[in-house]
């Protein structure tokens, strides 16, 4: 069942995560340097995901709405890489090592392949319909 209050809380936290990501990108623009806002957002987001997973799994004092707001909203909006890392961690912690590393291999391979396919597809459509 859809809980509108939880959706509202997730939305508020997501807005804050997106703003934080934007501030990082403004402060550290991507100019072909290793250190940039996107990298910082991914690293900070994964660090926060680690802290939150510990708090949720080991201490269980956080209510579900705040947990969803922080994990799905703030950290999820700050970086989707944290979700990727969180899923890897859950598989790894559950001793599903093959699945964990397959998750990394398949996710990165398909994501990068999708990027190139999307770029190629739109370039083909663009040249066909707009030239």
């Amino acid at each position: 069942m859809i809980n509108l209050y939880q959706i509202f809380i997730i939305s508020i936290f997501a807005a804050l995560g997106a703003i934080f990501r934007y501030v990082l990108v403004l402060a550290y623009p991507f100019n072909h340097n290793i250190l940039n806002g996107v990298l910082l957002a991914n690293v900070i987001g994964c660090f926060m995901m680690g802290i939150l997973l510990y708090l949720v799994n080991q201490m269980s004092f956080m209510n579900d709405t705040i947990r969803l707001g922080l994990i799905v909203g703030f950290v999820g909006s700050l970086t989707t890489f944290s979700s990727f890392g969180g899923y890897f961690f859950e598989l790894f912690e559950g001793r599903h090592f093959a699945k964990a590393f397959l998750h990394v291999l398949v996710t990165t391979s398909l994501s990068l392949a999708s990027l190139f396919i999307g770029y190629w597809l739109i370039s083909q459509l663009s040249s066909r319909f707009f030239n």
Side-chain angles (χ1 to χ4, degrees):
M1 181 168 181
I2 294 175
N3 183 326
L4 293 177
Y5 177 70
Q6 286 181 338
I7 290 173
F8 174 74
I9 295 299
I10 290 168
S11 300
I12 297 300
F13 278 92
L16 294 172
I19 291 166
F20 184 50
R21 179 186 184 93
Y22 182 65
V23 168
L24 286 172
V25 170
L26 288 177
Y28 300 95
F30 182 75
N31 55 7
H32 303 291
N33 288 329
I34 296 297
L35 181 63
N36 60 67
V38 173
L39 173 65
L40 288 173
N42 287 332
V43 172
I44 291 168
C46 285
F47 180 74
M48 290 178 71
M49 179 65 88
I51 291 170
L52 291 169
L53 286 174
Y54 179 83
L55 292 174
V56 168
N57 293 335
Q58 301 299 321
M59 303 185 86
S60 64
F61 66 84
M62 192 179 306
N63 93 21
D64 285 344
T65 302
I66 297 300
R67 178 184 58 80
L68 287 170
L70 287 170
I71 292 174
V72 175
F74 186 84
V75 177
S77 181
L78 176 62
T79 173
T80 57
F81 198 77
S82 60
S83 300
F84 168 77
Y87 186 60
F88 171 81
F89 178 80
E90 286 181 22
L91 290 171
F92 196 84
E93 187 179 49
R95 304 183 67 78
H96 302 287
F97 303 117
K99 284 184 181 178
F101 288 103
L102 186 61
H103 165 65
V104 170
L105 178 67
V106 170
T107 301
T108 54
S109 299
L110 290 178
S111 295
L112 292 174
S114 306
L115 183 140
F116 284 100
I117 291 168
Y119 184 92
W120 173 82
L121 180 63
I122 199 67
S123 70
Q124 296 301 307
L125 291 172
S126 178
S127 67
R128 181 174 179 167
F129 293 109
F130 298 110
N131 282 336

